[in-house]
Every structure is written in structure tokens, then in C-alpha cells.
């Protein structure tokens, strides 16, 4: 038995190929750089949904379908959502996912997230929601709805590159959760709600906020080594490092770093972050010489989303926005197999005692 199912192949997929030993990531046969440059988020959705969500749609068709779906999502935005903005964003996001109607189409599910998240971010500043512009792609419209004004072109390009980079990654814990739920023939809305729950933990998509907390606490180049040594001596995990599958450098981390650099030579706190990265990798190698612990996608996610101007507690929700079309594709792929996912457990508890005569 493998406690964390590592190495267990639990599904066949045509969606993403993740070969962590060789550092390979493809989506439907497209490498990441090509996907970012030539397809973008809507193009990646078109590729992922092909053959699963009705007739195949082009990137432009996905863009207009999602635009129309954002308008519909805005019109049925539940009134209580504004009230939910008084809660921590993570609580409000669970309510947002739970509010997606049971019979929603893939586009309706995917569109509900940017509209709902942008509205929550506005509502907690006491501002009214901004109606979607269906002519825009998701990245541009989300930033516009969240910030109340059109975003600068470099920020839109950077967010589109981020959404494209993290849209899918094989059987991540959240994707597996979504597939398990879909395998019971539950709705897509139920599958993404479960996927979101699994994403939020710090061992998965909850890491980017804590990466910035770490950089804040370190604060200066001189403090890097003492801070890292103390954290590792306490047995803490360094956020933004290590991965179950990636045993070479995750190409997505490099793609995000390149995207960050395109925002400007001093985008975010890149000088301190690069030095923390270099020394953290060295410290992890010293402490765990038998393991390969590399930078994961969350390290540069945190810097990139901060440089775009998004608040720290929105990082995991924005990750969910990006990953929802991936969960949808996997849920549909799982349902196509018609097979319920239901593994077995080895019972190691007590046995019944003989009853007294
Ligand atoms: N810092 C310190 N030690 C670590 C780290 C880390 N970031 N990652 C792994 N280790 C140690 C573990 O403590 C464990 O040691 P032990 O056996 O002495 O208890 C050992 O390395 C386990 O290594 P793996 O088997 O490679 O790790 P696993 O597959 O169990 O976990 C995970 C992967 C959860 C991502 C882990 O590396 C981690 O907690 N990283 C920090 C959190 C993080 O960055 N999460 C985001 C992941 S990316 C994503 O999901 C989008």
C-alpha cells in the first residue's frame, strides 16, 4: 500500500502529460511556451474541452461563449454573495463554488468563478460589482471587473500567461478529487466544488500566499540563511519548494519567472526572491541529500500575482479560476469512462472480542 498513492496510475488521460522525472509538460501535445504564446487561456480551454464538452470550439468561439456565460453569471449573482464578502475570502469562495447551479454547462461553471471572485473583491471594499465585458478574454475582463478599470496590457498578458500555465497538471490532488466526484455521476458543479476544497490546502494550491509571508518575514538578504535554518530546524516545510511529481525543475516555475521578468526588470521583489530560492535549494539539498526538492510553480506564482496587483488572499482563488476548466475537462473525461472510482482500504483496527458466555 502507498500511503499517498505515489506512483499509482489512477486514470488514463489525453489532457496533460506530466513527466516529472524528465521535466516534460504538454497539454494535448503542446509544450508550455507554445501554449502561452500561441493559444492563451481560451485556446488552452478549447484544447482541453475538445471531444468532451459538446462540439469542438475554436479559441475565438470559447472566448465568446465564456463572455456570454460571464454575463449570465453576473445576472444571477446571488444577492447574498455581497454579504459573504464580510467573511475571509476563502470562506466566501467556498460559498461561491457552492452557489454554481447543479445543471450548469462547462462554460457556465468556468465563467462563474471570475465573475464571483471579482465581485467579492469589490464588495469587500464597499464597491458595487462591475458588469462583465463579453468582448474581452477572461484575463482582461477579470482584472477589469476586480479593479474597476481596464488593466494595463502587460498585466493582462502576464495574467493570461499565468492562467494558461496552471490550467491543468495531470492528477493533482484537486483534479483527482474532482474526478472521484464526477465518477459517481455527480454534476460538474459538484466536481469543481470538491476540486476547490482540495486545492486550498498549503500542500497544494494554498502555498503562494505563505510564500509571500515567508519573503516578508525574511525581509533582507542577511536574514535569509538564519531564517531558513530556523525554519528547517523546526521541521517546517519551505513553501514553494518540493513536489510529488516534479523531480526536476518544474518548467512552469521557469515560465512564470520569465513572465514576471517581462513585467519589468525589478518586478515585485525578484532580487530577494531569487536569493531566497538559491539558498533554500542549497539548504534543502544539505538536509535531504537523497531527495530532489526543487522550486515549484507556487514560488513564482506569488511574485507574479503580487506584481499584477492582486491581494495575497486572492492568490489561491485566482489559481482556482485557472484550474476550473482543467477540473471540468477531467470530470468529463472521467465520466466518459463510466467507471466509479472506489479504491479499497486495508483494515488495521481491532477485531471483535469473543463475547462472554
Ligand atoms: N520543505 C522542507 N521539507 C520538505 C519540503 C519542503 N518544501 N518538501 C518536502 N520536504 C520533505 C518532507 O518533510 C519529507 O521529509 P520526511 O520524509 O523527513 O518527513 C520529504 O521531504 C518528503 O518529500 P516528497 O516525498 O518529495 O514530498 P511529498 O510528495 O510528500 O510532498 C509537497 C510534496 C506536499 C508539495 C511538499 O514538497 C511540500 O509540502 N512543499 C511545500 C508546500 C508547497 O510548496 N506546496 C505547493 C505544491 S505545488 C502545487 O500543488 C500547485
Amino acid at each position: 500500500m502507498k500511503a499517498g498513492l505515489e506512483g499509482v496510475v489512477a486514470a488514463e488521460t489525453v489532457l496533460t502529460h506530466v513527466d516529472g522525472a524528465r521535466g516534460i509538460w504538454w497539454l494535448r501535445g503542446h509544450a508550455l511556451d507554445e501554449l502561452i504564446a500561441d493559444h492563451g487561456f481560451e485556446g488552452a480551454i478549447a484544447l482541453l474541452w475538445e471531444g468532451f464538452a459538446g462540439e469542438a470550439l475554436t479559441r475565438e468561439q470559447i472566448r465568446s461563449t465564456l463572455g456570454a456565460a460571464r454575463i449570465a453569471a453576473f445576472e444571477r449573482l446571488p444577492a447574498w454573495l455581497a454579504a459573504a464578502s464580510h467573511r475571509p475570502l476563502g470562506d466566501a469562495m467556498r460559498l461561491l463554488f457552492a452557489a454554481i447551479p447543479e445543471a450548469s454547462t462547462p462554460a457556465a461553471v468556468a465563467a462563474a468563478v471570475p465573475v464571483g471572485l471579482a465581485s467579492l473583491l469589490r464588495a469587500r471594499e464597499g464597491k458595487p460589482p462591475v458588469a462583465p465585458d463579453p468582448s474581452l478574454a477572461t484575463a482582461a475582463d477579470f482584472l477589469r471587473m476586480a479593479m474597476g478599470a481596464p488593466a494595463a496590457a502587460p498585466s493582462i498578458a502576464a495574467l493570461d500567461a499565468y492562467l494558461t500555465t496552471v490550467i491543468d497538471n495531470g492528477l493533482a490532488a484537486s483534479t483527482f478529487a474532482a474526478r472521484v466526484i464526477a465518477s459517481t455521476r455527480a454534476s460538474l458543479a459538484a466536481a469543481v466544488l470538491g476540486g476547490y476544497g482540495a486545492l486550498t490546502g498549503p500542500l497544494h494550491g494554498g502555498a503562494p500566499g505563505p510564500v509571500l509571508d515567508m519573503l516578508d518575514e525574511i525581509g533582507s538578504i542577511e536574514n535569509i540563511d538564519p531564517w531558513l535554518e530556523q525554519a528547517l530546524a523546526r521541521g517546517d516545510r519551505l513553501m514553494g519548494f518540493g513536489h510529488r511529481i516534479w523531480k526536476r525543475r518544474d518548467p512552469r516555475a521557469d515560465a512564470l519567472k520569465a513572465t514576471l521578468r517581462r513585467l519589468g526588470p525589478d518586478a515585485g521583489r525578484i532580487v530577494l526572491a531569487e536569493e531566497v530560492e538559491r539558498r533554500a535549494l542549497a539548504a534543502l539539498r544539505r538536509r535531504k541529500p537523497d531527495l530532489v526538492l526543487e522550486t515549484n510553480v507556487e514560488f513564482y506564482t506569488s511574485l507574479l500575482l503580487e506584481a499584477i496587483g492582486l491581494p495575497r488572499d486572492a492568490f489561491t482563488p485566482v489559481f482556482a479560476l485557472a484550474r476550473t476548466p482543467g477540473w471540468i475537462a477531467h470530470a468529463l473525461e472521467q465520466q466518459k469512462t463510466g467507471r466509479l472510482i472506489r479504491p479499497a482500504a486495508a483494515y488495521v483496527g481491532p477485531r471483535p472480542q469473543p463475547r462472554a458466555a
Side-chain angles (χ1 to χ4, degrees):
M1 198 218 38
K2 296 272 191 186
L5 297 186
E6 53 254 59
V8 175
V9 175
E12 286 188 339
T13 186
V14 297
L15 300 171
T16 40
H17 174 55
V18 184
D19 181 343
R22 292 194 294 157
I24 292 173
W25 184 100
W26 302 328
L27 186 150
R28 294 258 197 183
H30 299 271
L32 184 55
D33 288 352
E34 181 216 324
L35 199 70
I36 293 172
D38 299 345
H39 298 267
F41 187 52
E42 274 73 13
I45 296 175
L47 290 165
L48 283 178
W49 289 2
E50 192 186 324
F52 295 122
E55 64 184 286
L57 297 177
T58 63
R59 174 187 189 173
E60 283 314 311
Q61 287 167 326
I62 288 283
R63 184 174 157 148
S64 61
T65 303
L66 287 179
R70 283 198 304 279
I71 294 284
F74 186 77
E75 281 165 1
R76 51 148 220 273
L77 210 61
W80 54 259
L81 205 59
S85 67
H86 298 298
R87 300 171 179 235
L89 191 56
D91 289 356
M93 282 298 292
R94 282 203 311 282
L95 294 172
L96 166 63
F97 271 95
I100 297 174
E102 191 75 352
S104 297
T105 61
V109 173
V113 186
V115 172
L117 172 56
S119 305
L120 285 172
L121 293 173
R122 297 269 302 163
R124 73 175 178 180
E125 290 178 4
K127 295 175 181 160
V130 173
D133 176 346
S135 70
L136 296 177
T138 303
D141 206 21
F142 169 69
L143 288 177
R144 195 188 129 274
M145 289 188 290
M147 295 174 174
S155 294
I156 295 171
L159 183 63
D160 189 69
Y162 168 73
L163 300 178
T164 309
T165 300
V166 303
I167 191 169
D168 192 38
N169 192 37
L171 269 201
S174 57
T175 306
F176 186 51
R179 283 189 84 123
V180 170
I181 294 167
S183 82
T184 70
R185 299 191 185 164
S187 65
L188 280 182
V192 299
L193 173 63
Y196 176 71
L199 184 79
T200 56
L203 300 193
H204 188 11
V211 169
L212 282 195
D213 296 341
M214 172 178 76
L215 295 178
D216 277 350
E217 280 178 32
I218 292 176
S220 66
I221 302 276
E222 308 76 63
N223 197 29
I224 297 176
D225 286 332
W227 191 95
L228 291 174
E229 283 313 316
Q230 274 178 23
L232 289 171
R234 278 197 308 266
D236 291 356
R237 293 191 177 200
L238 303 181
M239 292 293 127
F241 299 93
H243 198 276
R244 176 61 59 82
I245 299 290
W246 291 107
K247 299 305 174 195
R248 294 254 303 252
R249 199 172 162 78
D250 182 344
R252 299 172 307 155
D254 286 331
L256 295 184
K257 189 171 171 177
T259 303
L260 180 65
R261 285 206 172 282
R262 279 197 292 277
L263 279 180
D266 55 354
R269 11 171 148 207
I270 194 156
V271 175
L272 176 69
E274 279 186 326
E275 198 53 30
V276 169
E277 180 187 21
R278 198 175 66 74
R279 298 197 201 181
L281 291 174
L284 288 168
R285 256 176 235 128
R286 278 196 305 277
R287 286 197 169 248
K288 305 267 178 197
D290 301 333
L291 292 178
V292 182
L293 296 172
E294 276 288 350
T295 315
N296 67 44
V297 73
E298 302 290 41
F299 192 78
Y300 285 102
T301 288
S302 68
L303 297 165
L304 184 62
L305 296 185
E306 184 186 47
I308 290 172
L310 290 163
R312 193 172 302 201
D313 61 350
F315 294 175
T316 300
V318 172
F319 189 178
L321 186 172
R323 191 52 73 85
T324 299
W327 292 330
I328 291 169
H330 276 272
L332 295 169
E333 186 179 51
Q334 182 62 40
Q335 282 178 341
K336 219 172 172 181
T337 70
R339 192 74 184 155
L340 173 73
I341 298 176
R342 202 299 186 191
Y347 179 71
V348 294
R351 293 179 171 278
Q353 298 300 311
R355 298 172 80 192

